[in-house]
Amino acid sequence: DDLKLQVQEFQNVQAQLQMLGMQLQQLNVQESETQKALDEIDKGNGPFYRFVSNILVEKEKETLNKELTDEKDTISLRVSSFKKQEDRLKPRFDELRKRIEETAKQMKQSG
């Protein structure tokens, strides 16, 4: 029964780690794309456009630069938060894996 609970928790932690990994991957892509847009803004003088819903809206260079910088900062904060969650979950995942392996080994030896 204890083994069953350990396996359930292990699977739960594993699923959380997988979800965090996917979210981190998506955020890293968004962060990279935002940085590329910022680089292009720095190179050019305009005009600059940005999608708002399904239309393109002209934006001032400074306004667009600020919007993108703010977005990049927000993404960076989310990446940092997710990495902290991941750092907390990984040791628990490893601990559970070892406990399950030990319990299974003991059951095999005694059974």
Side-chain angles (χ1 to χ4, degrees):
D1 206 28
D2 187 42
L3 178 62
K4 185 177 179 181
L5 290 174
Q6 288 176 13
V7 169
Q8 286 175 342
E9 185 178 356
F10 174 81
Q11 290 172 334
N12 189 13
V13 171
Q14 184 179 35
Q16 289 177 46
L17 283 170
Q18 287 174 338
M19 188 180 317
L20 280 172
M22 289 187 307
Q23 290 172 329
L24 278 168
Q25 187 177 13
Q26 290 171 345
L27 287 171
N28 287 329
V29 168
Q30 288 177 6
E31 190 173 32
S32 176
E33 288 175 352
T34 304
Q35 184 59 54
K36 285 179 190 173
L38 284 166
D39 293 343
E40 289 301 316
I41 291 170
D42 286 342
K43 290 179 193 174
N45 293 317
F48 296 101
Y49 299 91
R50 182 153 198 203
F51 274 104
V52 177
S53 295
N54 291 328
I55 61 169
L56 279 174
V57 176
E58 188 169 358
K59 295 274 187 169
E60 294 289 324
K61 182 176 183 171
E62 295 78 21
T63 302
L64 186 54
N65 197 343
K66 177 160 179 22
E67 286 177 4
L68 290 172
T69 299
D70 289 347
E71 285 178 26
K72 187 169 180 267
D73 290 345
T74 300
I75 292 168
S76 295
L77 283 172
R78 290 183 67 202
V79 166
S80 177
S81 174
F82 284 173
K83 284 184 178 178
K84 286 178 185 174
Q85 288 178 41
E86 192 177 53
D87 289 345
R88 284 192 304 268
L89 285 172
K90 281 183 178 179
R92 183 68 180 148
F93 178 81
D94 291 337
E95 175 193 336
L96 285 165
R97 182 181 45 78
K98 288 176 187 172
R99 285 176 49 197
I100 290 167
E101 288 172 355
E102 289 171 7
T103 303
K105 188 177 179 181
Q106 289 172 358
M107 289 173 68
K108 191 175 182 180
Q109 288 173 351
S110 66

